[in-house]
Amino acid sequence: MTGARDLRICATPADVARNVAQWLLDQALATPDRFAICLSGGRTPEMLYRLLADDPWRAQLPWPRLHWFFGDERFVPPDDARSNAGMVHRALFSRAPVPAENIHAMATRGLALDEAALTYARRLRDFYGADRLQQDRPLFDVNFLGLGTDGHTASLLPGDAAAAEQAQWVCPVPAGAGRPEPRITLTRPVLESSRHTAFLVTGANKAPMLRCLLQGDSQIPAAQLRPQGARIIFADAAAAGTDEP
Ligand code: 6PG
């Protein structure tokens, strides 16, 4: 792997998944405490999630103290193919010894969109143990983020109100805000409240936005984030626009 200060380039998406799995294991084993992981949705991270449930990572991850959150969710039932929680359940939770009480998924049934956002915000505050985020005490240990071809991350979409929200912890994103289905998303302050922020970016179609991210182009939500802790970008050669990593 090579790359700039916070960019790690791997040859293929499979190499990215393997390197991220090992990196996550190293972070989780570096502390004896409760370890909060915020997951991104979409296609890119699925290979990573599947890998975590396979050895050698399955045998080494400290499952009882790992807590799993979601950076955003499509407001569809969990059994809908678009559901991020459904994808992670199939790829990871159904294949590894994850305590049910450690899975903190967003409610997408039985509540209106706004109520579901408020409910998840309460769940985050309960886990955190305070109503205000503190700079010296991040909410997450690792926050995995994807990068859209329009520069969005989580469901912070360019020009959408949620991308500028600074007070609420969780925002509803009504359908039509650039996506066919309504969504729920963590807001910038919450996504920034992490000891490590790891972007996973693969595919040549992401190359332009990866350049914008690396250049700090404040026009795109992904580059507007100012993570409290370290930022690391795992990319494959196609997204990084290099032949060889
Ligand atoms: C989602 C994600 C979203 C995703 C990007 C990249 O729910 O869609 O959280 O932010 O990370 O859209 O998606 P791909 O990995 O599918 O390219």
Side-chain angles (χ1 to χ4, degrees), residues 4-19:
R5 182 174 53 83
D6 66 347
L7 174 63
R8 295 193 189 183
I9 304 172
C10 306
T12 66
D15 292 328
V16 169
R18 276 190 291 274
N19 280 278

Side-chain angles (χ1 to χ4, degrees), residues 40-45 72-74 84 145-148 152-155 179 183 206:
S40 69
R43 290 180 305 280
T44 302
D72 72 331
E73 184 55 278
R74 294 84 178 275
N84 288 336
L145 289 172
L147 180 64
H152 81 262
T153 194
S155 284
R179 292 293 173 279
R183 302 214 173 174
K206 300 292 179 75

Side-chain angles (χ1 to χ4, degrees), residues 1-44:
M1 288 190 299
T2 59
R5 182 174 53 83
D6 66 347
L7 174 63
R8 295 193 189 183
I9 304 172
C10 306
T12 66
D15 292 328
V16 169
R18 276 190 291 274
N19 280 278
V20 177
Q22 188 57 46
W23 174 84
L24 177 66
L25 175 61
D26 295 344
Q27 308 314 318
L29 295 184
T31 170
D33 305 323
R34 187 175 75 169
F35 195 85
I37 303 164
C38 188
L39 300 173
S40 69
R43 290 180 305 280
T44 302

Side-chain angles (χ1 to χ4, degrees), residues 40-41 71-72 143-158 162-163 179 183 185-188 191 197-201 213 220-225:
S40 69
D72 72 331
N143 178 21
F144 284 122
L145 289 172
L147 180 64
T149 53
D150 60 355
H152 81 262
T153 194
S155 284
L156 302 183
L157 312 173
R179 292 293 173 279
R183 302 214 173 174
T185 186
L186 302 191
T187 57
R188 272 173 55 184
L191 292 171
T197 296
F199 279 92
L200 276 61
V201 188
L213 178 59
I220 67 168
Q224 291 164 359
L225 290 183

